[in-house]
Amino acid sequence: MTLDRSLASRHSRRRFLIGGSAAATVLSVGGLAARGQSPKPLPPSPDPVAPAVRRALLTAAPRPMQLLGDDRPASPLWTFGDEPLTVIRARRGDTLEARLENRLPEHTSVHWHGIRLPNAMDGVPYMTQQPVEPGEAFDYRFALPDTGTFFFHPHCNTVEQLGRGLAGVLIVEGDTPKRYAADVLCLLKDWRIDETTGEFLDFLTDSGAAKAGTFGTVRSTDFRPTPTVGIPAGRDVRVRVLNLDVTRVSQIGVEGTDAAVIATDGNAVSPFPLVDWRLGPAMRLDLTVRAPKPGETARIVDYFAKDPVTLMTLAGDGPVPDAETGFDPAPLYAPHLPEPDLRNAEVLPFTFSSTAVNRAVVAPNGDVIDLGRSLCLNPTTYWAINKQSWPERGHEFPPPPLAELTRGRTYEFELRNVTPHMHPIHLHGHTFKVLESNKVDRPVHWADTVLLTPKERVRIAFVADNPGRWMFHCHIIEHQDTGMMGYVTVT
Ligand code: C2O
Ligand code: CU
């Protein structure tokens, strides 16, 4: 496949996309085929050799850190370790043993976003485990069935706990037939910080929660102000872009060099040129990027704003390779996921809407319920899935499931966004195929979170092969906390 022709026109195309329909965000695989280029097949992945047990200690604790620079006030971060960002690396087939020790002033847990693990390890307070109280510990232990770029975070009072930095990255290796010259993390997160005092601002606001969410005041990449990263000049590197913000949707592009998408939410996809790709909170995008020549730079940018915002600068380091080759990114190994049986799929509609009014929580007798001091709720509700809102009264009081799925069957979810806002929708415990949309031209790809743009309808499908109660919610955390959350059961 030669990407050069399509890449040559990417800038004009991008301008067209941004100025015209913001909906079409990528050159689809169908588009490549139409140009006589067929998507590269993904090579089958070898079986894991010598699976190992990987141990990690996650000590959740307050750790003040100078996020804005050495000469600036420290901010009261909460992290899992002494480094601001905890990164766990393992290989497919390994077992991860992670001990969570809670030294926070409130309870917490660890949800392993995107990992197809047993329900009891999913880290959702009251649903899959008791909250881990201050001073307590919890041992997570599960096998890693899939390669890819994942992350982990708490699942109650997430807007504050994640807002203060409590999150980590989990990279499961074993998907590359050929080594990359470098493996670069590009983790996006905003912070709600008062820049003079370093203190955090309110994590949740009613005006934000009812609309697109409350945005941070300071952006960061890898928990630093816009970094410059040196990479071996002229070679192909892997860049793992993760959106770990609680609110902001970024529109990822690369300026100044060639880049191709090789995985979505950690799952390999036949490489296609990156024009731009909308990455909602919790979504990940793996890229192959050709490193610039020695002394030259390229930029990873967010096109969502009027002027592109630089997220990371990539600088070409060292000598150019002897034989320079054209940009022709190799595919990753194929994912190991159960193929949905679309002919026999049961179709279930899910409507994501706002609630008629911002409701107080009322008991059957009409009394307004005193919500007490639970961490796992918010007293106001703005959003619903199929007209049902949760966590109104807290995770402790689950409503009926949004759907009861039969183990082993294929389900096609028809996701309908009837609001004027974007919603990145996430399902726990399963990886689904994003089939098609009425608005956005994307290739068919695997994901655990899919971004619904305003008024968009998206069809996803998956085999319900993992028994348990699985959360299904918007990953704009203020939306999740004010009603756009539910769960499905698989039995
Ligand atoms: Cu990343 Cu239920 O969340
Ligand atoms: Cu939402």
Side-chain angles (χ1 to χ4, degrees):
M1 174 170 67
T2 48
L3 300 175
D4 305 54
R5 201 154 18 105
S6 44
L7 285 169
S9 65
R10 59 200 282 265
H11 291 281
S12 52
R13 177 179 167 81
R14 200 193 61 242
R15 233 172 281 126
F16 162 74
L17 287 173
I18 286 176
S21 112
T25 54
V26 298
L27 196 59
S28 73
V29 166
L32 286 178
R35 288 172 177 77
Q37 305 167 350
S38 51
K40 270 186 194 165
L42 304 176
S45 83
D47 287 336
V49 277
V53 175
R54 305 277 160 184
R55 293 196 176 80
L57 177 63
L58 305 174
T59 312
R63 293 184 181 88
M65 289 184 192
Q66 285 157 299
L67 266 178
L68 304 171
D70 292 344
D71 53 338
R72 307 295 298 281
S75 300
L77 266 64
W78 292 359
T79 65
F80 284 120
D82 291 332
E83 290 296 313
L85 186 58
T86 300
V87 180
I88 301 175
R89 283 184 183 263
R91 294 186 65 81
R92 183 168 80 89
D94 286 355
T95 294
L96 180 63
E97 277 185 10
R99 159 158 280 227
L100 166 66
E101 285 183 9
N102 184 3
R103 297 197 192 144
L104 300 173
E106 64 189 44
H107 72 65
T108 192
S109 67
V110 178
H111 166 57
W112 306 89
H113 185 113
I115 304 288
R116 299 184 301 136
L117 40 56
N119 198 234
M121 296 289 111
D122 199 40
V124 184
Y126 304 108
M127 286 297 279
T128 69
Q129 69 170 96
Q130 283 311 303
V132 182
E133 298 292 343
E136 288 183 357
F138 188 88
D139 291 307
Y140 294 92
R141 185 177 204 278
F142 51 88
L144 296 164
D146 303 307
T147 52
T149 306
F150 302 99
F151 72 110
F152 49 95
H153 61 84
H155 219 280
C156 265
N157 195 23
T158 316
V159 71
E160 173 167 1
Q161 294 194 2
L162 183 54
R164 285 180 182 269
L166 200 59
V169 173
L170 171 57
I171 291 174
V172 186
E173 290 171 342
D175 56 2
T176 45
K178 216 177 76 189
R179 274 185 86 81
Y180 287 90
D183 192 328
V184 178
L185 212 57
C186 177
L187 184 150
L188 313 177
K189 180 178 171 354
D190 298 1
W191 305 85
R192 285 197 39 80
I193 290 181
D194 177 325
E195 292 192 49
T196 51
T197 64
E199 294 298 323
F200 284 108
L201 305 167
D202 285 349
F203 293 100
L204 188 145
T205 64
D206 284 329
S207 56
K211 297 202 174 95
T214 308
F215 289 83
T217 53
V218 177
R219 296 182 74 162
S220 75
T221 302
D222 299 340
F223 286 20
R224 294 182 281 164
T226 327
T228 296
V229 176
I231 49 176
R235 297 174 200 268
D236 286 349
V237 303
R238 179 174 187 161
V239 179
R240 303 173 189 262
V241 188
L242 299 91
N243 184 347
L244 260 57
D245 194 43
V246 292
T247 306
R248 186 186 297 276
V249 175
S250 287
Q251 190 159 332
I252 303 302
V254 172
E255 299 255 293
T257 191
D258 292 337
V261 175
I262 53 170
T264 51
D265 289 352
N267 309 286
V269 65
S270 182
F272 62 90
L274 172 68
V275 177
D276 57 358
W277 184 272
R278 278 197 185 176
L279 211 59
M283 296 166 74
R284 289 91 67 211
L285 191 68
D286 283 55
L287 306 173
T288 299
V289 176
R290 172 61 54 93
K293 298 208 167 59
E296 295 184 3
T297 59
R299 298 179 304 139
I300 300 173
V301 296
D302 175 8
Y303 289 123
F304 205 88
K306 196 154 90 308
D307 297 313
V309 175
T310 299
L311 304 171
M312 176 179 269
T313 302
L314 299 168
D317 265 358
V320 228
D322 303 337
E324 240 196 295
T325 52
F327 184 61
D328 184 20
L332 299 174
Y333 288 128
H336 279 254
L337 296 163
E339 191 60 40
D341 172 12
L342 293 178
R343 288 158 155 257
N344 298 302
E346 186 176 333
V347 180
L348 298 174
F350 293 90
T351 301
F352 298 83
S353 67
S354 49
T355 46
V357 278
N358 156 16
R359 281 183 290 150
V361 182
V362 176
N365 67 3
D367 287 355
V368 172
I369 292 174
D370 175 9
L371 293 166
R373 296 186 59 244
S374 169
L375 263 189
C376 301
L377 59 75
N378 193 274
T380 46
T381 291
Y382 298 110
W383 308 99
I385 306 176
N386 285 353
K387 299 207 167 126
Q388 183 173 293
S389 298
W390 190 36
E392 313 206 295
R393 297 180 58 207
H395 272 142
E396 299 90 321
F397 306 100
L402 290 166
E404 296 178 324
L405 313 182
T406 303
R407 191 175 176 183
R409 279 207 71 169
T410 291
Y411 290 88
E412 205 180 289
F413 283 11
E414 220 179 79
L415 312 178
R416 301 186 191 145
N417 177 8
V418 299
T419 79
H421 297 286
M422 292 187 284
H423 304 288
I425 302 301
H426 172 46
L427 174 65
H428 287 209
H430 298 78
T431 302
F432 50 77
K433 221 171 200 182
V434 180
L435 299 174
E436 64 172 25
S437 150
N438 67 332
K439 281 184 76 175
V440 181
D441 183 17
R442 314 172 176 93
V444 171
H445 64 280
W446 294 102
D448 52 57
T449 308
V450 62
L451 184 67
L452 303 184
T453 56
K455 309 288 176 190
E456 186 177 355
R457 282 204 312 269
V458 174
R459 288 195 311 121
I460 63 170
F462 63 99
V463 180
D465 62 349
N466 198 356
R469 296 201 288 182
W470 299 107
M471 304 295 280
F472 184 47
H473 62 86
C474 180
H475 223 287
I476 289 179
I477 306 294
E478 284 168 290
H479 294 176
Q480 174 190 1
D481 279 355
T482 56
M484 200 174 272
M485 176 166 88
Y487 66 99
V488 301
T489 60
V490 177
T491 47

